[in-house]
Structures are given as structure tokens and as C-alpha cells.
Amino acid sequence: MPLETVKLTASFKLDGSIPESLFSTYREVLGQLLDYAWVKGVTSFKRLRTEKYHELRAKYPSLPSHYIYTACQMACSIYKSFRKLKRRGLAKAEKPLFKKQVIMLDDHLFSLDLESWKASIAVGGGRVRLKLLHGTYHEKFKEMMIGQAWLVKSEAGFYLKVVFSKTVELAESNGRAIAVDINENNVAFGSTERVKNIETGERAIRTTYFLKRRRLQLKPRLNEKTLMAKYKGRERRRVEDIYHKLANQIVDEAKGLKASTIVLEELANIRRRIRRSKAINGRLNRWSFRKLQEIIEYKAKLAGLNVTYVDAKGASSLCPICGVKLSPNGHRRMECSVCGLEEDRDIIAVMNLLRRHQMDVGASPVHPEGPPMIKEGRDESLF
Ligand SMILES: [Zn+2]
């Protein structure tokens, strides 16, 4: 069976503080490594470490040595993404810079005690032990391995973001798949047997918070900034909560239909679609799509299902049987002038994604006619 590693990040707020000197020293080290990587064109962590470690070790003797390793790792990945952006003409700066208050930690630099909710972090001259406050932690992390972490300083305090990982066995592909079509306010998913269409209610949530924020901007108060952050956090949590429940339903549906694979839309197309719809309402965002896909992907993999991405260009506007452009036929329905197919556009999208997946894996399409539609509204007990 194919093996795959699932990685999840948990974020904990730390009760207490980390010496400012650790952040400033780390930023200095990282800055020097970034300059060096940029001047010499170094993208390899091993080379950067070989060429710079001893010099930096001697220059910062009180800094625990593993911080130099993690700074080398960060410098390489920052320089690599800078170079990529530069090539595409998207980087404005002359050279890569990193101004955020972020420190990367490896397993020598921190440890977690999830029984007593404490973290221990190496600083110059010893370790600080801090209590962990609320976090995006879930029981399922208990059986996972702890990998690297990030120490983040923000206006609200210090945070520890820890990467948990687990190796899972994925099912052998059995030719059965379900496809997921994500829209601003509904998500359609299903197989050739049936398609479910769930209204997410995301638009209403986004509108509510959009109005709250605007009211605040029109009538500023002293605690405006705190309130803004609070609204933002609440909005994000409400939307993420919906995504988690939705993803559970999708995984359950895949298991119920004995599918081995979940088919998602490739991001490139999602970007195009957002650009197009931005002109219409401006509230549909790329973050939402990617976030929901991420949640579906890790939940699917933890359940042993394969996840694959297919090009979704024109998925809701082309005939899944003959490939010609469909014409709208009343509310959300589409009609094919060649073969006469008439179907809801969400079903069309799911059918096209499934067909493209079948073409990718070299199978012949089954059930060319549309599946029966099970229309489901927002289930209050779930959301
Ligand atoms: Zn047709």
C-alpha cells in the first residue's frame, strides 16, 4: 500500500515571554545568511551550513548552535522563493529580506509536554519553560510525531507553531472516486452514483463581518484595533468550523461509496476563477479555497483515501459528454445544444472533474448520463 506523511500544524499561545535578545540575534544571523545565499547563489542547506556555520558559531558563542542550523534552512527557503518571484518579475526588493519575528526550531531547541501543557525552549544559557495556553490543538495530534516548530512574536504575544506528522497507508486505487466542486456559497461533491450539494452559508458570514468592520471604520473607537482583530479571528474560526464539518461529510461520503480517491480542483484554475469573480463581489477569496482543500486533503489521507488534483478549467461550462460549451438554461441549469444534456451546473462540474480524473488515470468514463441530484441545504445540526 502506498505510504504518505500527513503534516498538521498546531498553534499554541505561550504564557510568558521569550527574551527579545533571542529574536534580535536570530534576525541578525538570518540576515547574514540571506545576504550570503543571495551573493553566492546558494540554495543548498548543506552548502550554506558548511560555508557559514563555523564563522557564525564563533561570532555568536552564546546562541545555542542549532539556531544556526535552522537559520540556514530558513535562509535557503526564503532565498529560493525570492528567486522564484524575481524570475516571474514579482519581487520588488533588490535582495531577499526577512523582517518577521519568526524563529525556526528543531527538536534540539524545543520540547513539548502535552500532558502538562508545557513547552521548553532553548535560549542562550539554558532553557525557558512556559505554560501553553489555548491553541489549535486537537486530540488526534497525540498519536502523531512532533517535528519542527516556529516561535512567533506578534502584538498579541508569543506563539509556538508545531508541526505534527503521521505516516498513513493509502488505499490502492479501485477506480472509484468522488469529485469536489468548491464554490463561494456551496460545495458539490459526489460520484457517478450521486452528487450532494451543500450550502455552506459562508457568504452570509463574510457579509456579517464585512458590515461589522465597516461600521467600526465609519465610527472609530478607542479599542478599534483590538475589536478588528477579534472580528477577524471570529470570522475565521466560524468559516473554518464549517470547513471541518464539510470535509468530514465529504470523507464520509467517499467511504460510504467505497471510493479510493477524492478529486479536487487544481489551484491554477481556482486563481483564474477568483480573478473573474472579484469583479462581481470581491468577497470570494483564494484563502478559502485553499484552506478548504487543505482540510479535505488531510482528513482524507488520515482516513486512508488518495487525493488527486485535476485541471478544472471550464468544468462548470463544458458538456461532460461531448465537450462543447453549454448554454445557461434558467437558474443554475445548463444545456448542451449537441447531445441535449440538461443538468445543474454543480453536477456538470462534478461530472467534468470525475471525467478528467478518469482520463488522467486512463480509465474509460462510466455512466455518461448525469447522476441523480440530492440537494441538501445547510443542516443546522451540523453547522
Ligand atoms: Zn453534450
Side-chain angles (χ1 to χ4, degrees):
M1 280 213 258
L3 293 176
E4 182 140 344
T5 305
V6 177
K7 287 186 175 178
L8 293 171
T9 307
S11 175
F12 302 96
K13 186 164 191 210
L14 296 171
D15 186 19
S17 65
I18 303 291
E20 174 51 38
S21 60
L22 184 65
F23 281 91
S24 55
T25 310
Y26 194 82
R27 235 184 358 260
E28 258 179 62
V29 170
L30 185 57
Q32 289 168 49
L33 287 166
L34 267 178
D35 279 350
Y36 187 83
W38 174 65
V39 169
K40 301 257 180 174
V42 185
T43 53
S44 142
F45 161 68
K46 272 189 185 159
R47 187 181 150 198
L48 191 60
R49 188 187 59 187
T50 311
E51 293 174 15
K52 289 296 278 183
Y53 176 77
H54 291 288
E55 177 199 326
L56 290 166
R57 188 82 195 93
K59 203 168 166 188
Y60 303 95
S62 64
L63 184 72
S65 64
H66 275 256
Y67 281 115
I68 299 173
Y69 290 150
T70 65
C72 286
Q73 270 175 275
M74 276 187 84
C76 283
S77 59
I78 294 165
Y79 172 57
K80 271 194 265 185
S81 42
F82 170 81
R83 211 172 57 162
K84 217 166 156 188
L85 288 175
K86 198 82 193 166
R87 279 198 193 126
R88 287 161 57 197
L90 298 170
K92 283 190 202 100
E94 169 71 15
K95 61 177 191 172
L97 291 169
F98 191 74
K99 291 176 193 154
K100 289 181 197 155
Q101 306 259 51
V102 176
I103 297 176
M104 184 179 169
L105 306 170
D106 66 12
D107 56 352
H108 292 261
L109 297 171
F110 84 103
S111 65
L112 267 192
D113 178 355
L114 290 169
E115 292 300 317
S116 59
W117 274 65
K118 273 186 184 136
S120 155
I121 293 156
V123 295
R127 292 180 89 90
V128 281
R129 282 179 67 77
L130 296 163
K131 221 175 131 39
L132 300 172
L133 297 174
H134 66 86
T136 52
Y137 176 76
H138 193 274
E139 283 297 308
K140 66 175 171 277
F141 291 140
K142 269 214 173 109
E143 51 186 67
M144 301 179 85
M145 284 195 5
I146 295 173
Q148 60 200 174
W150 279 270
L151 195 56
V152 180
K153 186 184 172 188
S154 78
E155 265 179 51
F158 295 89
Y159 290 84
L160 186 63
K161 298 193 178 212
V162 185
V163 179
F164 288 81
S165 68
K166 186 184 181 182
T167 305
V168 289
E169 278 185 5
L170 301 183
E172 290 293 352
S173 177
N174 63 5
R176 296 171 74 91
I178 72 163
V180 184
D181 171 58
I182 301 171
N183 298 294
E184 191 199 2
N185 209 39
N186 77 298
V187 173
F189 57 93
S191 68
T192 45
E193 286 162 45
R194 64 168 183 244
V195 173
K196 287 188 179 181
N197 190 356
I198 310 276
E199 260 179 50
T200 55
E202 179 172 342
R203 192 188 286 149
I205 295 174
R206 297 237 180 255
T207 306
T208 305
Y209 283 94
F210 171 77
L211 294 173
K212 271 183 196 281
R213 280 195 296 271
R214 206 179 52 182
R215 267 201 301 274
L216 202 59
Q217 277 163 347
L218 291 175
K219 208 176 156 192
R221 290 192 246 168
L222 273 177
N223 55 349
E224 187 188 331
K225 230 176 161 179
T226 337
L227 266 177
M228 276 293 195
K230 205 183 241 173
Y231 288 160
K232 231 171 132 183
R234 262 189 219 156
E235 178 182 13
R236 208 199 60 216
R237 280 191 297 276
R238 279 187 67 183
V239 169
E240 276 189 46
D241 188 48
I242 288 175
Y243 290 170
H244 278 279
K245 283 163 181 161
L246 195 55
N248 287 340
Q249 282 195 336
I250 292 168
V251 170
D252 285 347
E253 180 73 355
K255 286 199 283 192
L257 290 165
K258 302 215 165 18
S260 61
T261 306
I262 292 184
V263 181
L264 298 174
E265 300 161 84
E266 214 162 58
L267 194 62
N269 182 60
I270 285 165
R271 218 179 280 139
R272 274 199 296 273
R273 194 156 79 180
I274 289 165
R275 212 175 293 142
R276 215 184 312 137
S277 65
K278 223 173 193 163
I280 305 167
N281 60 55
R283 276 198 303 273
L284 188 63
N285 70 64
R286 187 177 132 79
W287 177 88
S288 293
F289 277 107
R290 194 56 204 133
K291 189 77 199 169
L292 178 53
Q293 286 191 331
E294 272 172 19
I295 296 172
I296 296 168
E297 182 165 346
Y298 90 74
K299 281 184 193 282
K301 285 180 176 166
L302 285 179
L305 298 166
N306 298 278
V307 174
T308 180
Y309 288 82
V310 297
D311 181 10
K313 194 181 177 201
S316 56
S317 60
L318 297 176
C319 176
I321 295 165
C322 48
V324 301
K325 189 134 179 79
L326 297 166
S327 27
N329 175 16
H331 186 63
R332 289 186 83 77
R333 287 188 80 79
M334 306 292 270
E335 192 177 358
C336 178
S337 59
V338 177
C339 69
L341 174 86
E342 199 205 312
E343 205 39 280
D344 189 282
R345 65 172 293 282
D346 297 316
I347 292 193
I348 298 280
V350 168
M351 286 168 76
N352 271 318
L353 296 175
L354 283 171
R355 206 180 70 122
R356 284 169 196 188
H357 166 65
Q358 283 160 348
M359 274 155 60
D360 282 353
V361 296
S364 56
V366 274
H367 294 302
E369 72 280 1
M373 179 73 160
I374 301 167
K375 188 111 185 167
E376 289 193 10
R378 200 162 155 244
D379 183 344
E380 291 301 329
S381 66
L382 270 163
F383 295 119

